Amino acid sequence: MNSQSARYFSRAQKVIPGGVNSPVRAFNAVGGDPLYVVKGHGPRITTADGRELIDFCGSWGPLILGHAREEVVEAVAKAARDGMTFGINTPREVEFAELLCSLVPVMDQVRLVNSGTEAVMTALRLARGFTGRRRIIKFDGGYHGHSDGLLVGAGSGLLTGGISSSAGVYVDEGDVFLPAYNDKQAVSDLIDAYGDEVAAIIVEPVAGNMGLVPPVDGFLEHLRAEADRCGALLIFDEVITGFRFGPTTYGEQVGITSDLTTLGKIIGGGMPLAALGGRKEVMQRLAPVGDVYQAGTLSGNPVAVAAGMKTVELLVEENPYDQISNVGKKLAESFQGLETNCVGAHNFYLSQLGGVFTPFFGRGPIRNLAEAKACDTKAHAAFFHAMLDRGFYLPPSQFECAFISAAHTDADIEAFISAVQDI
Ligand SMILES: *Cc1c(COP(=O)(O)O)cnc(C)c1O
């Protein structure tokens, strides 16, 4: 059924390590040959074998408007015709920075980069430069891109591959503390012991790389208070959550002020684009005004900015968030009472917030990495394949989020629900 995909994968394995340009695409966690996709439109993707699938992965988050949204494609084509890159400032960068700062008031200033990894790497360097301190508190299972200092206790593909760190990474002991997500006491204990050495607390305000794990009541407030207590910066890594639950960041929505915020995925509209922003006093430490270096040949690329700008404008204009969230709730209801024995799991818990969800094959609620890891990944793999056979593409790992887009129709959702009930 997937013979073209299988052929491409076998060719790929000869010339690309593991056949993929990002590990999770290899389907190691779910088994079977990974898919090759030739096009996407709205909520659907078409595989190299001509199969149409309804996509709930959305390129891991960027595609909140669905695939190849007409206005975004137009904006990209128009920008490309005017030149793909200059390495010189363009008016569009200024307009986009103004738009982001106006929608995310906690950001006085913003710098554009090419990937979430770069945004977070720079945010950390900036926090260390600004505070003159070295230690970082991140949470076990939090994924903040693949820069060296952050591949410690990281989630996402590292978790999927069953490793929580990487060879070739030398991080001094004590540089990165790894309390459990949602564990307020652990953070307080670390600040008690090392507070005056901590440069930053970095957190996904809603964890998305150990599967979807929302913050417990008071957790983010606690981080703000503890950062203030010791003079560390609070960094919200909003690469997934930014513009996900409303036309702003999650931090803005819940009224908690971060010192630095990283954005990516949605704000690039499907192109390689990310950003870091925050308090002016901190951002002014970046070169060329400050002493913390950061640069990029393609930073603020005009084609990428055109895609991001149009995407953000459409999100503001159309405000699809209530609609998406209602669909999310409907899906969550349909999962209730799901007979999971069919995939060999004894427990089932659907984690859902707005249009984001993770079916966990374990006992809920899931509040941290240890609880996520206790889930039955074999059952998850069986569920993934059962849904794929029925025409639905979900993230091929237990430790990732599925995303509902504004392009999913009621009929798509009904079909998804029937498929789940049919398993
Ligand atoms: C995806 C992600 C990143 C990394 O972004 P890339 O564009 O893949 O480099 C960083 N932080 C979080 C929270 C993410 O989900």
Side-chain angles (χ1 to χ4, degrees), residues 15-53:
V15 286
I16 304 174
V20 295
N21 286 312
S22 196
V24 77
R25 295 180 201 167
F27 274 27
N28 284 348
V30 291
D33 282 327
L35 296 178
Y36 282 74
V37 169
V38 291
K39 63 181 174 188
H41 205 268
R44 286 183 173 68
I45 50 179
T46 306
T47 71
D49 293 283
R51 276 190 83 199
E52 258 204 6
L53 303 170

PDB file of all heavy atoms in Angstrom, residues 15-53:
ATOM      1  N   VAL A  15      21.806   7.604   1.354  1.00  0.00           N
ATOM      2  CA  VAL A  15      22.455   8.918   1.227  1.00  0.00           C
ATOM      3  C   VAL A  15      22.149   9.888   2.362  1.00  0.00           C
ATOM      4  O   VAL A  15      22.722  10.969   2.440  1.00  0.00           O
ATOM      5  CB  VAL A  15      22.087   9.580  -0.129  1.00  0.00           C
ATOM      6  CG1 VAL A  15      22.832   8.894  -1.273  1.00  0.00           C
ATOM      7  CG2 VAL A  15      20.594   9.559  -0.363  1.00  0.00           C
ATOM      8  N   ILE A  16      21.208   9.526   3.227  1.00  0.00           N
ATOM      9  CA  ILE A  16      20.854  10.385   4.364  1.00  0.00           C
ATOM     10  C   ILE A  16      20.916   9.495   5.610  1.00  0.00           C
ATOM     11  O   ILE A  16      20.355   8.395   5.591  1.00  0.00           O
ATOM     12  CB  ILE A  16      19.417  10.954   4.197  1.00  0.00           C
ATOM     13  CG1 ILE A  16      19.272  11.711   2.870  1.00  0.00           C
ATOM     14  CG2 ILE A  16      19.053  11.866   5.367  1.00  0.00           C
ATOM     15  CD1 ILE A  16      17.844  12.167   2.572  1.00  0.00           C
ATOM     16  N   PRO A  17      21.575   9.922   6.664  1.00  0.00           N
ATOM     17  CA  PRO A  17      21.657   9.054   7.854  1.00  0.00           C
ATOM     18  C   PRO A  17      20.270   8.674   8.362  1.00  0.00           C
ATOM     19  O   PRO A  17      19.450   9.557   8.659  1.00  0.00           O
ATOM     20  CB  PRO A  17      22.391   9.916   8.886  1.00  0.00           C
ATOM     21  CG  PRO A  17      23.100  10.956   8.085  1.00  0.00           C
ATOM     22  CD  PRO A  17      22.265  11.201   6.861  1.00  0.00           C
ATOM     23  N   GLY A  18      20.007   7.380   8.409  1.00  0.00           N
ATOM     24  CA  GLY A  18      18.695   6.923   8.862  1.00  0.00           C
ATOM     25  C   GLY A  18      17.588   7.255   7.876  1.00  0.00           C
ATOM     26  O   GLY A  18      16.411   6.998   8.130  1.00  0.00           O
ATOM     27  N   GLY A  19      17.955   7.842   6.746  1.00  0.00           N
ATOM     28  CA  GLY A  19      16.979   8.150   5.706  1.00  0.00           C
ATOM     29  C   GLY A  19      16.170   9.411   5.945  1.00  0.00           C
ATOM     30  O   GLY A  19      15.289   9.744   5.152  1.00  0.00           O
ATOM     31  N   VAL A  20      16.463  10.120   7.018  1.00  0.00           N
ATOM     32  CA  VAL A  20      15.614  11.259   7.378  1.00  0.00           C
ATOM     33  C   VAL A  20      16.438  12.494   7.747  1.00  0.00           C
ATOM     34  O   VAL A  20      17.594  12.374   8.141  1.00  0.00           O
ATOM     35  CB  VAL A  20      14.692  10.930   8.576  1.00  0.00           C
ATOM     36  CG1 VAL A  20      13.695   9.848   8.207  1.00  0.00           C
ATOM     37  CG2 VAL A  20      15.501  10.520   9.800  1.00  0.00           C
ATOM     38  N   ASN A  21      15.813  13.642   7.645  1.00  0.00           N
ATOM     39  CA  ASN A  21      16.469  14.883   8.041  1.00  0.00           C
ATOM     40  C   ASN A  21      16.044  15.361   9.420  1.00  0.00           C
ATOM     41  O   ASN A  21      16.435  16.448   9.852  1.00  0.00           O
ATOM     42  CB  ASN A  21      16.235  15.960   6.980  1.00  0.00           C
ATOM     43  CG  ASN A  21      17.080  15.676   5.733  1.00  0.00           C
ATOM     44  OD1 ASN A  21      18.273  15.405   5.849  1.00  0.00           O
ATOM     45  ND2 ASN A  21      16.471  15.693   4.563  1.00  0.00           N
ATOM     46  N   SER A  22      15.233  14.591  10.096  1.00  0.00           N
ATOM     47  CA  SER A  22      14.884  14.842  11.499  1.00  0.00           C
ATOM     48  C   SER A  22      14.419  13.492  12.057  1.00  0.00           C
ATOM     49  O   SER A  22      13.579  12.828  11.431  1.00  0.00           O
ATOM     50  CB  SER A  22      13.792  15.918  11.588  1.00  0.00           C
ATOM     51  OG  SER A  22      13.690  16.431  12.901  1.00  0.00           O
ATOM     52  N   PRO A  23      14.994  13.041  13.184  1.00  0.00           N
ATOM     53  CA  PRO A  23      14.861  11.635  13.588  1.00  0.00           C
ATOM     54  C   PRO A  23      13.441  11.077  13.677  1.00  0.00           C
ATOM     55  O   PRO A  23      13.193   9.949  13.263  1.00  0.00           O
ATOM     56  CB  PRO A  23      15.539  11.612  14.964  1.00  0.00           C
ATOM     57  CG  PRO A  23      16.490  12.754  14.938  1.00  0.00           C
ATOM     58  CD  PRO A  23      15.860  13.811  14.093  1.00  0.00           C
ATOM     59  N   VAL A  24      12.513  11.863  14.205  1.00  0.00           N
ATOM     60  CA  VAL A  24      11.182  11.310  14.483  1.00  0.00           C
ATOM     61  C   VAL A  24      10.452  10.899  13.191  1.00  0.00           C
ATOM     62  O   VAL A  24       9.550  10.082  13.203  1.00  0.00           O
ATOM     63  CB  VAL A  24      10.355  12.313  15.327  1.00  0.00           C
ATOM     64  CG1 VAL A  24       9.831  13.452  14.489  1.00  0.00           C
ATOM     65  CG2 VAL A  24       9.240  11.627  16.083  1.00  0.00           C
ATOM     66  N   ARG A  25      10.898  11.444  12.067  1.00  0.00           N
ATOM     67  CA  ARG A  25      10.269  11.100  10.781  1.00  0.00           C
ATOM     68  C   ARG A  25      10.543   9.660  10.365  1.00  0.00           C
ATOM     69  O   ARG A  25       9.930   9.149   9.437  1.00  0.00           O
ATOM     70  CB  ARG A  25      10.790  12.031   9.682  1.00  0.00           C
ATOM     71  CG  ARG A  25      10.394  13.471   9.898  1.00  0.00           C
ATOM     72  CD  ARG A  25      10.942  14.359   8.789  1.00  0.00           C
ATOM     73  NE  ARG A  25      11.007  15.748   9.230  1.00  0.00           N
ATOM     74  CZ  ARG A  25      11.663  16.696   8.580  1.00  0.00           C
ATOM     75  NH1 ARG A  25      12.300  16.424   7.461  1.00  0.00           N
ATOM     76  NH2 ARG A  25      11.669  17.937   9.048  1.00  0.00           N
ATOM     77  N   ALA A  26      11.494   9.008  11.050  1.00  0.00           N
ATOM     78  CA  ALA A  26      11.862   7.640  10.672  1.00  0.00           C
ATOM     79  C   ALA A  26      10.858   6.597  11.165  1.00  0.00           C
ATOM     80  O   ALA A  26      10.972   5.425  10.825  1.00  0.00           O
ATOM     81  CB  ALA A  26      13.254   7.303  11.195  1.00  0.00           C
ATOM     82  N   PHE A  27       9.857   7.023  11.967  1.00  0.00           N
ATOM     83  CA  PHE A  27       8.819   6.101  12.457  1.00  0.00           C
ATOM     84  C   PHE A  27       9.383   5.048  13.411  1.00  0.00           C
ATOM     85  O   PHE A  27       8.770   3.994  13.582  1.00  0.00           O
ATOM     86  CB  PHE A  27       8.112   5.374  11.290  1.00  0.00           C
ATOM     87  CG  PHE A  27       6.960   6.137  10.687  1.00  0.00           C
ATOM     88  CD1 PHE A  27       6.911   7.520  10.724  1.00  0.00           C
ATOM     89  CD2 PHE A  27       5.909   5.454  10.063  1.00  0.00           C
ATOM     90  CE1 PHE A  27       5.846   8.210  10.153  1.00  0.00           C
ATOM     91  CE2 PHE A  27       4.848   6.132   9.491  1.00  0.00           C
ATOM     92  CZ  PHE A  27       4.817   7.507   9.536  1.00  0.00           C
ATOM     93  N   ASN A  28      10.541   5.292  13.998  1.00  0.00           N
ATOM     94  CA  ASN A  28      11.124   4.289  14.891  1.00  0.00           C
ATOM     95  C   ASN A  28      10.198   3.944  16.049  1.00  0.00           C
ATOM     96  O   ASN A  28      10.175   2.814  16.513  1.00  0.00           O
ATOM     97  CB  ASN A  28      12.464   4.780  15.452  1.00  0.00           C
ATOM     98  CG  ASN A  28      13.561   4.689  14.412  1.00  0.00           C
ATOM     99  OD1 ASN A  28      13.372   4.058  13.365  1.00  0.00           O
ATOM    100  ND2 ASN A  28      14.683   5.321  14.668  1.00  0.00           N
ATOM    101  N   ALA A  29       9.416   4.922  16.506  1.00  0.00           N
ATOM    102  CA  ALA A  29       8.582   4.698  17.680  1.00  0.00           C
ATOM    103  C   ALA A  29       7.329   3.900  17.353  1.00  0.00           C
ATOM    104  O   ALA A  29       6.726   3.302  18.243  1.00  0.00           O
ATOM    105  CB  ALA A  29       8.190   6.029  18.313  1.00  0.00           C
ATOM    106  N   VAL A  30       6.917   3.915  16.085  1.00  0.00           N
ATOM    107  CA  VAL A  30       5.658   3.243  15.745  1.00  0.00           C
ATOM    108  C   VAL A  30       5.872   2.073  14.786  1.00  0.00           C
ATOM    109  O   VAL A  30       4.970   1.278  14.551  1.00  0.00           O
ATOM    110  CB  VAL A  30       4.636   4.231  15.128  1.00  0.00           C
ATOM    111  CG1 VAL A  30       4.150   5.209  16.195  1.00  0.00           C
ATOM    112  CG2 VAL A  30       5.206   4.980  13.938  1.00  0.00           C
ATOM    113  N   GLY A  31       7.063   1.982  14.211  1.00  0.00           N
ATOM    114  CA  GLY A  31       7.353   0.905  13.273  1.00  0.00           C
ATOM    115  C   GLY A  31       6.763   1.159  11.904  1.00  0.00           C
ATOM    116  O   GLY A  31       5.970   2.084  11.705  1.00  0.00           O
ATOM    117  N   GLY A  32       7.156   0.345  10.949  1.00  0.00           N
ATOM    118  CA  GLY A  32       6.647   0.495   9.585  1.00  0.00           C
ATOM    119  C   GLY A  32       7.473   1.506   8.801  1.00  0.00           C
ATOM    120  O   GLY A  32       8.318   2.197   9.356  1.00  0.00           O
ATOM    121  N   ASP A  33       7.222   1.539   7.488  1.00  0.00           N
ATOM    122  CA  ASP A  33       7.965   2.469   6.638  1.00  0.00           C
ATOM    123  C   ASP A  33       7.412   3.871   6.775  1.00  0.00           C
ATOM    124  O   ASP A  33       6.204   4.074   6.721  1.00  0.00           O
ATOM    125  CB  ASP A  33       7.850   2.045   5.166  1.00  0.00           C
ATOM    126  CG  ASP A  33       8.785   0.885   4.859  1.00  0.00           C
ATOM    127  OD1 ASP A  33       9.872   0.829   5.470  1.00  0.00           O
ATOM    128  OD2 ASP A  33       8.407   0.044   4.028  1.00  0.00           O
ATOM    129  N   PRO A  34       8.308   4.856   6.928  1.00  0.00           N
ATOM    130  CA  PRO A  34       7.816   6.233   7.011  1.00  0.00           C
ATOM    131  C   PRO A  34       7.208   6.683   5.682  1.00  0.00           C
ATOM    132  O   PRO A  34       7.520   6.133   4.630  1.00  0.00           O
ATOM    133  CB  PRO A  34       9.065   7.045   7.343  1.00  0.00           C
ATOM    134  CG  PRO A  34      10.213   6.180   7.014  1.00  0.00           C
ATOM    135  CD  PRO A  34       9.753   4.757   7.079  1.00  0.00           C
ATOM    136  N   LEU A  35       6.337   7.648   5.770  1.00  0.00           N
ATOM    137  CA  LEU A  35       5.626   8.117   4.578  1.00  0.00           C
ATOM    138  C   LEU A  35       6.423   9.180   3.848  1.00  0.00           C
ATOM    139  O   LEU A  35       7.190   9.927   4.452  1.00  0.00           O
ATOM    140  CB  LEU A  35       4.282   8.727   4.983  1.00  0.00           C
ATOM    141  CG  LEU A  35       3.282   7.772   5.630  1.00  0.00           C
ATOM    142  CD1 LEU A  35       2.019   8.547   6.006  1.00  0.00           C
ATOM    143  CD2 LEU A  35       2.947   6.632   4.675  1.00  0.00           C
ATOM    144  N   TYR A  36       6.204   9.247   2.566  1.00  0.00           N
ATOM    145  CA  TYR A  36       6.690  10.371   1.751  1.00  0.00           C
ATOM    146  C   TYR A  36       5.467  11.125   1.258  1.00  0.00           C
ATOM    147  O   TYR A  36       4.500  10.516   0.803  1.00  0.00           O
ATOM    148  CB  TYR A  36       7.580   9.858   0.602  1.00  0.00           C
ATOM    149  CG  TYR A  36       8.940   9.522   1.146  1.00  0.00           C
ATOM    150  CD1 TYR A  36       9.130   8.374   1.903  1.00  0.00           C
ATOM    151  CD2 TYR A  36      10.014  10.401   0.991  1.00  0.00           C
ATOM    152  CE1 TYR A  36      10.357   8.095   2.482  1.00  0.00           C
ATOM    153  CE2 TYR A  36      11.240  10.128   1.559  1.00  0.00           C
ATOM    154  CZ  TYR A  36      11.408   8.979   2.307  1.00  0.00           C
ATOM    155  OH  TYR A  36      12.614   8.712   2.901  1.00  0.00           O
ATOM    156  N   VAL A  37       5.524  12.427   1.376  1.00  0.00           N
ATOM    157  CA  VAL A  37       4.367  13.250   1.032  1.00  0.00           C
ATOM    158  C   VAL A  37       4.706  14.111  -0.169  1.00  0.00           C
ATOM    159  O   VAL A  37       5.806  14.661  -0.252  1.00  0.00           O
ATOM    160  CB  VAL A  37       3.989  14.142   2.243  1.00  0.00           C
ATOM    161  CG1 VAL A  37       2.983  15.200   1.844  1.00  0.00           C
ATOM    162  CG2 VAL A  37       3.412  13.276   3.355  1.00  0.00           C
ATOM    163  N   VAL A  38       3.773  14.195  -1.098  1.00  0.00           N
ATOM    164  CA  VAL A  38       4.041  15.007  -2.289  1.00  0.00           C
ATOM    165  C   VAL A  38       3.284  16.328  -2.280  1.00  0.00           C
ATOM    166  O   VAL A  38       3.692  17.286  -2.915  1.00  0.00           O
ATOM    167  CB  VAL A  38       3.738  14.239  -3.597  1.00  0.00           C
ATOM    168  CG1 VAL A  38       4.764  13.126  -3.785  1.00  0.00           C
ATOM    169  CG2 VAL A  38       2.328  13.672  -3.601  1.00  0.00           C
ATOM    170  N   LYS A  39       2.150  16.382  -1.575  1.00  0.00           N
ATOM    171  CA  LYS A  39       1.491  17.680  -1.445  1.00  0.00           C
ATOM    172  C   LYS A  39       0.503  17.710  -0.287  1.00  0.00           C
ATOM    173  O   LYS A  39       0.109  16.671   0.256  1.00  0.00           O
ATOM    174  CB  LYS A  39       0.810  18.086  -2.752  1.00  0.00           C
ATOM    175  CG  LYS A  39      -0.295  17.170  -3.198  1.00  0.00           C
ATOM    176  CD  LYS A  39      -0.873  17.670  -4.523  1.00  0.00           C
ATOM    177  CE  LYS A  39      -1.883  16.677  -5.074  1.00  0.00           C
ATOM    178  NZ  LYS A  39      -2.330  16.999  -6.421  1.00  0.00           N
ATOM    179  N   GLY A  40       0.152  18.941   0.053  1.00  0.00           N
ATOM    180  CA  GLY A  40      -0.817  19.126   1.115  1.00  0.00           C
ATOM    181  C   GLY A  40      -1.734  20.278   0.761  1.00  0.00           C
ATOM    182  O   GLY A  40      -1.300  21.262   0.135  1.00  0.00           O
ATOM    183  N   HIS A  41      -2.982  20.126   1.115  1.00  0.00           N
ATOM    184  CA  HIS A  41      -3.938  21.216   0.890  1.00  0.00           C
ATOM    185  C   HIS A  41      -4.970  21.212   2.004  1.00  0.00           C
ATOM    186  O   HIS A  41      -5.565  20.157   2.266  1.00  0.00           O
ATOM    187  CB  HIS A  41      -4.594  21.069  -0.479  1.00  0.00           C
ATOM    188  CG  HIS A  41      -5.070  22.388  -1.008  1.00  0.00           C
ATOM    189  ND1 HIS A  41      -6.328  22.855  -0.798  1.00  0.00           N
ATOM    190  CD2 HIS A  41      -4.403  23.356  -1.674  1.00  0.00           C
ATOM    191  CE1 HIS A  41      -6.427  24.070  -1.325  1.00  0.00           C
ATOM    192  NE2 HIS A  41      -5.286  24.401  -1.866  1.00  0.00           N
ATOM    193  N   GLY A  42      -5.166  22.357   2.631  1.00  0.00           N
ATOM    194  CA  GLY A  42      -6.113  22.400   3.756  1.00  0.00           C
ATOM    195  C   GLY A  42      -5.710  21.387   4.808  1.00  0.00           C
ATOM    196  O   GLY A  42      -4.551  21.338   5.222  1.00  0.00           O
ATOM    197  N   PRO A  43      -6.632  20.511   5.233  1.00  0.00           N
ATOM    198  CA  PRO A  43      -6.304  19.545   6.282  1.00  0.00           C
ATOM    199  C   PRO A  43      -5.700  18.253   5.729  1.00  0.00           C
ATOM    200  O   PRO A  43      -5.429  17.335   6.488  1.00  0.00           O
ATOM    201  CB  PRO A  43      -7.674  19.260   6.908  1.00  0.00           C
ATOM    202  CG  PRO A  43      -8.623  19.427   5.773  1.00  0.00           C
ATOM    203  CD  PRO A  43      -8.063  20.499   4.886  1.00  0.00           C
ATOM    204  N   ARG A  44      -5.528  18.165   4.408  1.00  0.00           N
ATOM    205  CA  ARG A  44      -5.142  16.887   3.799  1.00  0.00           C
ATOM    206  C   ARG A  44      -3.729  16.884   3.242  1.00  0.00           C
ATOM    207  O   ARG A  44      -3.250  17.892   2.734  1.00  0.00           O
ATOM    208  CB  ARG A  44      -6.112  16.561   2.661  1.00  0.00           C
ATOM    209  CG  ARG A  44      -7.444  16.110   3.164  1.00  0.00           C
ATOM    210  CD  ARG A  44      -8.393  15.713   2.046  1.00  0.00           C
ATOM    211  NE  ARG A  44      -9.583  15.130   2.636  1.00  0.00           N
ATOM    212  CZ  ARG A  44     -10.464  15.818   3.362  1.00  0.00           C
ATOM    213  NH1 ARG A  44     -10.301  17.117   3.567  1.00  0.00           N
ATOM    214  NH2 ARG A  44     -11.510  15.218   3.895  1.00  0.00           N
ATOM    215  N   ILE A  45      -3.108  15.716   3.335  1.00  0.00           N
ATOM    216  CA  ILE A  45      -1.840  15.496   2.654  1.00  0.00           C
ATOM    217  C   ILE A  45      -2.002  14.310   1.704  1.00  0.00           C
ATOM    218  O   ILE A  45      -2.854  13.446   1.911  1.00  0.00           O
ATOM    219  CB  ILE A  45      -0.681  15.208   3.647  1.00  0.00           C
ATOM    220  CG1 ILE A  45      -1.050  14.111   4.642  1.00  0.00           C
ATOM    221  CG2 ILE A  45      -0.272  16.489   4.377  1.00  0.00           C
ATOM    222  CD1 ILE A  45       0.070  13.773   5.631  1.00  0.00           C
ATOM    223  N   THR A  46      -1.192  14.320   0.642  1.00  0.00           N
ATOM    224  CA  THR A  46      -1.214  13.219  -0.318  1.00  0.00           C
ATOM    225  C   THR A  46       0.158  12.560  -0.309  1.00  0.00           C
ATOM    226  O   THR A  46       1.174  13.239  -0.443  1.00  0.00           O
ATOM    227  CB  THR A  46      -1.514  13.738  -1.743  1.00  0.00           C
ATOM    228  OG1 THR A  46      -2.716  14.503  -1.699  1.00  0.00           O
ATOM    229  CG2 THR A  46      -1.678  12.587  -2.722  1.00  0.00           C
ATOM    230  N   THR A  47       0.181  11.248  -0.132  1.00  0.00           N
ATOM    231  CA  THR A  47       1.468  10.541  -0.060  1.00  0.00           C
ATOM    232  C   THR A  47       1.976  10.245  -1.473  1.00  0.00           C
ATOM    233  O   THR A  47       1.234  10.367  -2.463  1.00  0.00           O
ATOM    234  CB  THR A  47       1.340   9.201   0.694  1.00  0.00           C
ATOM    235  OG1 THR A  47       0.603   8.294  -0.133  1.00  0.00           O
ATOM    236  CG2 THR A  47       0.646   9.390   2.034  1.00  0.00           C
ATOM    237  N   ALA A  48       3.237   9.824  -1.529  1.00  0.00           N
ATOM    238  CA  ALA A  48       3.851   9.468  -2.818  1.00  0.00           C
ATOM    239  C   ALA A  48       3.108   8.311  -3.472  1.00  0.00           C
ATOM    240  O   ALA A  48       3.226   8.087  -4.678  1.00  0.00           O
ATOM    241  CB  ALA A  48       5.313   9.111  -2.612  1.00  0.00           C
ATOM    242  N   ASP A  49       2.323   7.571  -2.692  1.00  0.00           N
ATOM    243  CA  ASP A  49       1.534   6.472  -3.234  1.00  0.00           C
ATOM    244  C   ASP A  49       0.122   6.897  -3.613  1.00  0.00           C
ATOM    245  O   ASP A  49      -0.721   6.061  -3.925  1.00  0.00           O
ATOM    246  CB  ASP A  49       1.477   5.332  -2.207  1.00  0.00           C
ATOM    247  CG  ASP A  49       2.833   4.706  -2.019  1.00  0.00           C
ATOM    248  OD1 ASP A  49       3.251   3.926  -2.881  1.00  0.00           O
ATOM    249  OD2 ASP A  49       3.506   5.042  -1.022  1.00  0.00           O
ATOM    250  N   GLY A  50      -0.136   8.189  -3.538  1.00  0.00           N
ATOM    251  CA  GLY A  50      -1.440   8.694  -3.935  1.00  0.00           C
ATOM    252  C   GLY A  50      -2.524   8.535  -2.875  1.00  0.00           C
ATOM    253  O   GLY A  50      -3.704   8.722  -3.156  1.00  0.00           O
ATOM    254  N   ARG A  51      -2.137   8.198  -1.657  1.00  0.00           N
ATOM    255  CA  ARG A  51      -3.134   8.112  -0.573  1.00  0.00           C
ATOM    256  C   ARG A  51      -3.410   9.487  -0.022  1.00  0.00           C
ATOM    257  O   ARG A  51      -2.485  10.254   0.228  1.00  0.00           O
ATOM    258  CB  ARG A  51      -2.596   7.261   0.580  1.00  0.00           C
ATOM    259  CG  ARG A  51      -2.781   5.793   0.403  1.00  0.00           C
ATOM    260  CD  ARG A  51      -2.435   5.093   1.711  1.00  0.00           C
ATOM    261  NE  ARG A  51      -3.552   5.105   2.642  1.00  0.00           N
ATOM    262  CZ  ARG A  51      -3.431   4.908   3.961  1.00  0.00           C
ATOM    263  NH1 ARG A  51      -2.236   4.720   4.489  1.00  0.00           N
ATOM    264  NH2 ARG A  51      -4.498   4.905   4.734  1.00  0.00           N
ATOM    265  N   GLU A  52      -4.674   9.789   0.208  1.00  0.00           N
ATOM    266  CA  GLU A  52      -5.033  11.044   0.871  1.00  0.00           C
ATOM    267  C   GLU A  52      -5.245  10.781   2.347  1.00  0.00           C
ATOM    268  O   GLU A  52      -5.976   9.865   2.725  1.00  0.00           O
ATOM    269  CB  GLU A  52      -6.334  11.593   0.281  1.00  0.00           C
ATOM    270  CG  GLU A  52      -6.086  12.710  -0.679  1.00  0.00           C
ATOM    271  CD  GLU A  52      -7.292  13.638  -0.830  1.00  0.00           C
ATOM    272  OE1 GLU A  52      -8.296  13.475  -0.101  1.00  0.00           O
ATOM    273  OE2 GLU A  52      -7.206  14.510  -1.694  1.00  0.00           O
ATOM    274  N   LEU A  53      -4.604  11.582   3.184  1.00  0.00           N
ATOM    275  CA  LEU A  53      -4.749  11.425   4.632  1.00  0.00           C
ATOM    276  C   LEU A  53      -5.196  12.742   5.239  1.00  0.00           C
ATOM    277  O   LEU A  53      -4.797  13.814   4.766  1.00  0.00           O
ATOM    278  CB  LEU A  53      -3.408  11.027   5.259  1.00  0.00           C
ATOM    279  CG  LEU A  53      -2.741   9.749   4.738  1.00  0.00           C
ATOM    280  CD1 LEU A  53      -1.322   9.635   5.284  1.00  0.00           C
ATOM    281  CD2 LEU A  53      -3.566   8.525   5.128  1.00  0.00           C
TER     282      LEU A  53
END
